Amino acid sequence: EIVLTQSPVTLSLSPGETATLSCRASESVGNSFIVWYQQKPGQAPRLLIYGPFGRATGIPDRFSGSGSGTDFTLTISRLEPEDFAVYYCQQFDTSPLTFGQGTRLEIK
Amino acid sequence: EVKLVQSGAEVKKPGASVKISCKVSGYTFPDSYIHWLKQAPGKGPEWMGFVDPDDGETKIAEKLQGRVTITADTSTDTAYLVLSSLTSDDSAVYYCARGLEQLSRLDYWGQGTQVTVSS
């Protein structure tokens, strides 16, 4: 199965800054098959970014995804207080679906 | 509005089975897959399997085969997860989520069901 490794484990930033979160795959994944989720405490994961340019309904353009092959990035510009949460990447190029272990974005 | 509403928290003894339901609304149930995921504390979600409500086809993660059953009832727009031979390692939050394909992003999620296994 494809293993997804996210880094850093924790990212401490201030509102207004830009967050760069990494997701590295153990083998090549088509860039249409990596997605990103946001999870807040006590809530289910929420789909944020899919494919090379897709944003889920209601997701602001401060969130963007990029990457190819084995290296993918979620960028969050102009951090807002509500952006501080845990973020997961997921691949659906190959069965089974797999997720990274998450990056916790915390307020500095 | 698409909604997936799961059944409530469960407390089970080791060796028992648990059945969790996931009732959907806001879309045509047979048109999408329902996936089930486990999330242990502090961990990322772990895919368990899916059901195609249209024909009942299922696929279960290899490590869970023999312990997991996933079904769908189109008369009530409800999917079910049964996990048997419970151990403390099964204590986690379980989610159902909608996927448009067998291999898919998951665009809508249930609220989660806490399962606690304790003697």
Side-chain angles (χ1 to χ4, degrees), chain B residues 7-13 15-21 36 48 67-69 80-87 90-92 94 113-117:
Chain B
S7 49
E10 301 268 7
V11 179
K12 295 291 183 182
K13 294 195 182 301
S17 297
V18 67
K19 185 174 186 178
I20 304 170
S21 65
W36 286 92
M48 301 177 71
R67 280 214 303 139
V68 165
T69 305
Y80 297 92
L81 169 72
V82 174
L83 181 59
S84 60
S85 302
L86 292 168
T87 73
D90 296 316
S91 294
Y94 291 82
T113 297
Q114 175 71 53
V115 174
T116 303
V117 182

Side-chain angles (χ1 to χ4, degrees), chain A residues 7-21 38-41 74 76 78-87 102-108:
Chain A
S7 61
V9 172
T10 303
L11 183 59
S12 299
L13 293 171
S14 300
E17 293 191 298
T18 295
T20 303
L21 287 67
Q38 176 192 70
Q39 187 175 33
K40 296 182 178 179
L74 173 69
I76 313 169
R78 305 181 303 280
L79 283 167
E80 298 280 348
E82 62 266 25
D83 299 336
F84 292 90
V86 179
Y87 292 85
T103 289
R104 178 179 304 278
L105 177 59
E106 64 176 28
I107 298 177
K108 188 174 182 180

Side-chain angles (χ1 to χ4, degrees), chain B residues 55-97:
Chain B
D55 61 8
E57 178 190 7
T58 61
K59 182 169 183 175
I60 308 300
E62 193 171 320
K63 64 182 278 188
L64 294 172
Q65 287 176 5
R67 280 214 303 139
V68 165
T69 305
I70 299 175
T71 58
D73 182 346
T74 54
S75 69
T76 59
D77 291 350
T78 303
Y80 297 92
L81 169 72
V82 174
L83 181 59
S84 60
S85 302
L86 292 168
T87 73
S88 58
D89 288 342
D90 296 316
S91 294
V93 176
Y94 291 82
Y95 293 100
C96 61

Side-chain angles (χ1 to χ4, degrees), chain A residues 37 80 90:
Chain A
Y37 299 89
E80 298 280 348
Q90 177 224 327

